[in-house]
Amino acid sequence: MDSLHAIGFYVSSGVLLLGGLGVALLPGRDLRGTALAVSGAGLAGAYVSLSAGFAAIVALICYLGCAAMVAGPGYRVVEGVVGPVWRQVGAIGAAALLVVLGFAAFRGDFVHASFSAGPFDARAVARLLLAHDVLATEAVAALAIVAAAGAVGAWRIRDRAR
Amino acid sequence: MSATLISVFFVAGALVAVGAFAAAWRRDVTAAVATIPVMFAGAGMAFAGVARFAAAGGSHLLGQEFAVLLAIAAVALVALGLGIAGREGTR
């Protein structure tokens, strides 16, 4: 990876991690939605520096959509029923997960991989999505349709009950 | 200055851990749902990095394809989660 791609990757990764931390820690739906949009922009930049331009465009659109939903007026606060002890156990487990993943990444230095930048090539990605791995694409499309229908149904039921 | 596959894995692992931490720590279920895209971003970045670094001579598009599918799945799960969680919630 040349210096330009490396600088882009590190800057985008920093923006992405800051956005992720914002989603995790910031109060208020507006701030969390903004942080999610920032993390989407960082993710798109990281994908571009990894020569995955098509994924960058799709990720940017999807994460902006997520940010709009999180920051939108349809957001409701739902208090969880999990006790504080179990939440602390979960947080410690997440910290342990970070340690394990960091160790696994550090120990992955036996792989001597070389970066090979490629063209944008959206046509090849589309051929892969719509021809070679069409079953996975259809499964995700079905998930998206079911999720959208379920969300619309849930919102309509809530509005009718109000 | 260069970025390696290990750098990509560090960023991806940090994202997954941050998302898991927020999902476990947040008292508000809807805020926990909003961390799903963060975890999926880590997974997508790992896929894209592996495909770009470790597929020398082969196709570099498989990780990009997974990243695309993960992004779409993330937005679908957030929509469904916010819709379901918001049924009983308050503003």
Side-chain angles (χ1 to χ4, degrees):
Chain A
M1 185 181 277
D2 58 4
S3 295
L4 190 63
H5 278 95
I7 291 170
F9 174 76
Y10 285 121
V11 170
S12 302
S13 298
V15 172
L16 175 55
L17 285 173
L18 282 178
L21 285 172
V23 174
L25 301 175
L26 284 176
R29 60 183 170 89
D30 297 339
L31 291 176
R32 278 198 294 272
T34 306
L36 199 53
V38 168
S39 66
L43 181 64
Y47 280 159
V48 167
S49 62
L50 290 172
S51 299
F54 184 71
I57 293 173
V58 174
L60 186 61
I61 294 171
C62 289
Y63 279 68
L64 288 179
C66 288
M69 282 189 285
V70 169
Y75 187 96
R76 299 290 186 275
V77 175
V78 181
E79 290 293 326
V81 294
V82 180
V85 175
W86 286 109
R87 285 173 41 227
Q88 289 176 5
V89 169
I92 293 171
L97 177 67
L98 175 63
V99 172
V100 169
L101 290 177
F103 180 73
F106 181 70
R107 293 299 297 170
D109 58 353
F110 61 88
V111 178
H112 297 289
S114 57
F115 179 77
S116 55
F120 189 87
D121 212 1
R123 190 188 301 174
V125 179
R127 199 178 302 127
L128 202 60
L129 280 168
L130 300 176
H132 188 266
D133 296 327
V134 69
L135 193 61
T137 307
E138 287 180 352
V140 173
L143 171 69
I145 290 172
V146 168
V152 169
W155 265 312
R156 281 179 65 90
I157 289 171
R158 184 184 60 205
D159 289 341
R160 206 174 290 164
R162 201 183 295 162
Chain B
M1 185 180 204
S2 180
T4 62
L5 184 59
I6 299 172
S7 314
V8 176
F9 279 157
F10 267 119
V11 176
L15 282 172
V16 172
V18 166
F21 168 76
W25 184 253
R26 283 282 183 184
R27 190 175 295 164
D28 179 11
V29 175
T30 322
V33 167
T35 61
I36 290 175
V38 179
M39 285 189 276
F40 278 27
M45 179 173 280
F47 274 118
V50 166
R52 184 55 63 185
F53 277 95
S59 172
H60 303 292
L61 300 171
L62 200 60
Q64 193 174 170
E65 179 196 14
F66 263 93
V68 167
L69 294 178
L70 279 172
I72 297 171
V75 72
L77 290 176
V78 167
L80 186 60
L82 290 180
I84 292 175
R87 283 183 61 179
E88 303 295 330
T90 57
R91 279 180 193 271

